[in-house]
Amino acid sequence: MAFESIKDIPAVGFGLWKIGPEICEDTVYEAIKCGYRHLDAACDYGNEVEVGRGIQRALADGICTREELWVTSKLWNTYHRAEHVTPALDRTLNDLQLEYLDLYLIHFPIALEFVPFETRYPPEWFFDPDTSDPCMKPSRVPLSDTWHSMEKLKAEGKAKHIGVCNYSSGLLHDLMNYCTTPPELLQIESHPYLTQEKLVRLAKQYGLEVTAFSPLGSLSYVELDMASQDESILEQAVVQEIASRLECSAAQVVLAWGVQRGTSVVVKSMNPERMEQNLAAAEIELSENDIQAISALNQNRRYNDPGVFCEGAFNTFHPIYD
Ligand code: A2P
């Protein structure tokens, strides 16, 4: 089935963050073979060439057609200036070996000084990692300039849909005031410890779809030393009780909660069994009581916070949510 509108974005997508280039082509191929029809990529993940190879192999093997696959990517922080937005998308399309993206998102509401492709790709957060005291170099680019360039990409058909990630409600109100073409989707961190109810509600009120990244919460951050194994949502008694009653896994309960509250979710697993089980979570039906019980776990716990990691890892204090 081809996608007709932003509302057709498949509910469970496969996330490509932190998948090393050496295993990425095979992982993408296996994900598509397993049934995923929504891939969540980004320039900054540093693996778009390999993602492209995995996609092309799956298409060549007839597993699905290009029209049946939803591919999202994201504009990196160093390409916010109007003149850099089109080349950034072109580079992503070239790496992915695609003619168009289904969705292109501004990755962060953070503009950093431009770094040419030849200097470093992807440029990541440091302006110059080789100096004795590397740090981020914010650039004075209004988000409205970047958005107007995103609008052009949609008009040209290079991105079927456009949207933003990691925007707060204040930035979203502002965007709705200056846009000519409205954003169609907001991607944010959301899981039972960070339900973001007001932001999700506001996005929907403005007609945006919402995608939740890190839908399993802390699990994504253990390998980065940004969370500990023992704070997993999957260990919560309420989640375990629902899982045993519905005879499914705790992860499926948490993903089903994300889908049933009206967000799509992007999740990755390198384990074939979990890959399959995560995709099947979209079919699990939770009762209203179950949904409320899981929502009550909220503690506004954000794992992916530039106000914390930019200082810790990139030597630069740069909060965006506070
Ligand atoms: P694994 O690949 O070993 O399954 P992200 O939020 O960045 O997509 O990462 C998800 C994290 O959660 C990964 O560390 C992944 O590890 C783990 N994970 C994914 N699916 C499941 C699942 N069904 N049960 C338990 N852990 C999972």
Side-chain angles (χ1 to χ4, degrees), residues 60-95:
D61 284 359
I63 296 173
C64 68
T65 64
R66 169 68 188 95
E67 293 70 35
E68 290 166 337
L69 191 62
W70 183 287
V71 183
T72 298
S73 185
K74 311 185 190 86
L75 175 79
W76 186 240
N77 303 346
T78 49
Y79 307 128
H80 274 216
R81 271 187 204 284
E83 66 267 31
H84 299 138
V85 174
T86 295
L89 175 65
D90 287 345
R91 171 76 189 243
T92 276
L93 287 175
N94 187 60
D95 286 356

Side-chain angles (χ1 to χ4, degrees), residues 17-18 214-216 219-220 223 234 251 267-271 274 277-278:
W17 183 36
K18 297 190 263 90
S214 303
L216 299 176
L219 287 181
S220 190
E223 64 184 283
L234 308 189
V267 61
K268 80 149 201 287
S269 178
M270 309 307 292
N271 170 307
R274 292 200 282 263
Q277 112 184 192
N278 292 349

